[in-house]
Amino acid sequence: MATIKDIAERASVSPATVSRVLNYDQELSVSDATKKRIFEAAEELSYTKHLKKIPQPIGRIGLLQWYDETEELDDLYYLSIRLGIEKKAEELNYAIEKLTWSDTKINETDLDGMLVLGKVSLAEIERLRQEHQNIVFIDYDALQFGFTSIVVDYEQSVRLAVNHLLGSGIDEIGIISGLESTKWEKESLEDQRRLFFERILTNLDLLQSEHLYATDFSVAGGYELMNQLLTTKRPLPKSFFCSSDAIAIGVLRALTEHGVKVPEDISLIGFNDISVAKYVTPALTTVKVYTEWMGELAVKTLIEAAACPPPTPNKVTVASQLIVRDSTRSSFLNN
């Protein structure tokens, strides 16, 4: 694991600044550019080494992102996927053309293909269909609309978290899911993690509707929600599964400020395993999503489709892994 000092050297800042940024210290005043360097350095130093470069003809790939670089700082999930895309494209000698919906370049026809990172509306999909044939969607299931997609197996991910909590002797499990909408059409989106959470706990006869919460996918969102619950003295379950590490880190900070011990009083599980998760105190138990690999796979899939168009679109569903750290109790079964 990369150290604070390693990240500081790569980002050209002090170790103290790195520590405070990774812990989302609200009293620290640094620019978004500095935060971006630190977060990117932390992500990059956690990556595995790449394979040797494979000779490929130089080409151009369009990248249409849901989050902009400022929004990436609130939740590093999409930042990590983007870095994986950029690394693999560089390795294969392809240039990345970053696009926005308002950019006239979105209509360019000399691209080898387009990657769409994040959620979109049906109207946005139809616009893209008119402009490009070779498109791969990442973190959005567009297979039903005729496009190849790379998605996370949310059911398996949630089951990992629930089983871990049950295995540690906890049967009171709440969820703090994420609120989001398509960026341009502003269509509300259902958090798939909450959908499967409710289904799994209902089947186990453990679902408690009073412990279902939602907030923005950000540290601030998690902090504000939990601070409100604690201030109003709402009864809390013995554990929470959060739909992102960013939410979980905000929740953790609020719990700590109110003297609630983690995991002694409340166990906490995040989702994504962003680089920051291992640096907070206590270190965050989380469901690891192989974000860098998803980005790499998307680039390879797009390039292969440009060279040899597949007979039909396909969907790649990526499994996750539970990373157990200090924010949850030891397994009850092992005690």
Side-chain angles (χ1 to χ4, degrees):
M1 183 179 76
T3 66
I4 295 291
K5 183 178 179 181
D6 295 331
I7 298 170
E9 290 178 352
R10 192 179 186 94
S12 300
V13 295
S14 71
T17 298
V18 171
S19 179
R20 295 179 69 181
V21 167
L22 294 184
N23 281 278
Y24 287 88
D25 186 338
Q26 299 301 302
E27 296 181 358
L28 177 65
S29 178
V30 296
S31 67
D32 282 351
T34 299
K35 291 180 181 178
K36 180 174 179 289
R37 288 205 316 274
I38 291 171
F39 285 135
E40 288 188 345
E43 291 292 329
E44 289 168 353
L45 287 170
S46 295
Y47 289 164
T48 56
K49 293 183 179 180
H50 293 274
L51 300 175
K52 294 181 179 179
K53 288 187 177 181
I54 303 173
Q56 292 283 350
I58 295 176
R60 294 171 64 241
I61 296 173
L63 174 58
L64 186 60
Q65 295 180 246
W66 189 34
Y67 276 10
D68 60 32
E69 291 189 353
T70 300
E71 291 170 316
E72 282 181 340
L73 301 180
D74 289 330
D75 189 342
L76 305 184
Y77 178 73
Y78 286 108
L79 181 148
S80 182
I81 296 177
R82 174 175 64 79
L83 291 178
I85 289 170
E86 293 174 352
K87 282 177 174 291
K88 179 54 65 173
E90 181 181 4
E91 177 185 320
L92 300 179
N93 295 323
Y94 275 77
I96 292 291
E97 184 77 43
K98 294 183 180 179
L99 306 173
T100 66
W101 287 99
S102 59
D103 196 334
T104 57
K105 292 182 179 179
I106 197 173
N107 302 325
E108 289 188 3
T109 58
D110 62 340
L111 297 173
D112 292 273
M114 178 176 288
L115 299 175
V116 180
L117 175 55
K119 311 299 193 300
V120 291
S121 68
L122 180 57
E124 291 160 354
I125 289 176
E126 291 307 316
R127 178 184 173 186
L128 291 172
R129 190 193 305 277
Q130 296 174 14
E131 306 296 346
H132 300 279
Q133 295 301 313
N134 186 22
I135 304 177
V136 173
F137 287 79
I138 314 166
D139 198 47
Y140 179 78
D141 187 355
L143 184 65
Q144 61 182 315
F145 305 116
F147 293 102
T148 293
S149 306
I150 299 174
V151 298
V152 177
D153 188 340
Y154 287 116
E155 181 175 12
Q156 180 251 359
S157 301
V158 174
R159 199 174 295 278
L160 285 173
V162 169
N163 287 345
H164 174 65
L165 293 170
L166 293 176
S168 64
I170 295 174
D171 59 7
E172 288 185 12
I173 308 173
I175 184 173
I176 303 178
S177 56
L179 298 172
E180 56 188 356
S181 61
T182 57
K183 194 170 185 66
W184 295 274
E185 298 294 329
K186 301 301 180 184
E187 293 182 4
S188 296
L189 297 167
E190 185 174 33
D191 186 341
Q192 294 293 306
R193 283 151 290 220
R194 177 161 176 162
L195 174 68
F196 288 115
F197 178 88
E198 292 188 22
R199 183 179 302 174
I200 291 169
L201 265 68
T202 296
N203 290 339
L204 295 171
D205 198 26
L206 293 175
L207 184 67
Q208 297 174 296
S209 58
E210 66 271 23
H211 297 322
L212 304 178
Y213 299 99
T215 188
D216 296 334
F217 277 100
S218 67
V219 174
Y223 176 81
E224 290 167 6
L225 173 64
M226 184 52 62
N227 189 58
Q228 180 182 22
L229 296 178
L230 292 167
T231 300
T232 57
K233 301 188 183 303
R234 288 285 297 273
L236 298 178
K238 295 178 182 177
S239 64
F240 273 109
F241 168 64
C242 300
S243 283
S244 76
D245 288 343
I247 292 175
I249 290 168
V251 169
L252 177 61
R253 194 170 80 222
L255 290 172
T256 301
E257 289 181 2
H258 283 263
V260 180
K261 296 181 179 179
V262 177
E264 292 85 353
D265 299 325
I266 293 180
S267 289
L268 198 60
I269 296 183
F271 185 89
N272 295 338
D273 193 31
I274 60 175
S275 56
V276 177
K278 63 179 74 71
Y279 296 109
V280 296
T281 304
L284 187 64
T285 293
T286 184
V287 178
K288 180 178 181 62
V289 179
Y290 289 86
T291 47
E292 181 200 11
W293 183 75
M294 287 173 65
E296 292 182 6
L297 179 61
V299 171
K300 292 189 291 185
T301 300
L302 191 75
I303 292 174
E304 290 171 1
C308 183
T312 183
N314 58 85
K315 179 170 72 174
V316 178
T317 303
V318 180
S320 304
Q321 177 186 0
L322 182 70
I323 305 298
V324 179
R325 298 193 179 102
D326 300 330
S327 66
T328 54
R329 304 176 188 173
S330 299
S331 173
F332 177 78
L333 299 177
N334 293 331
N335 290 342

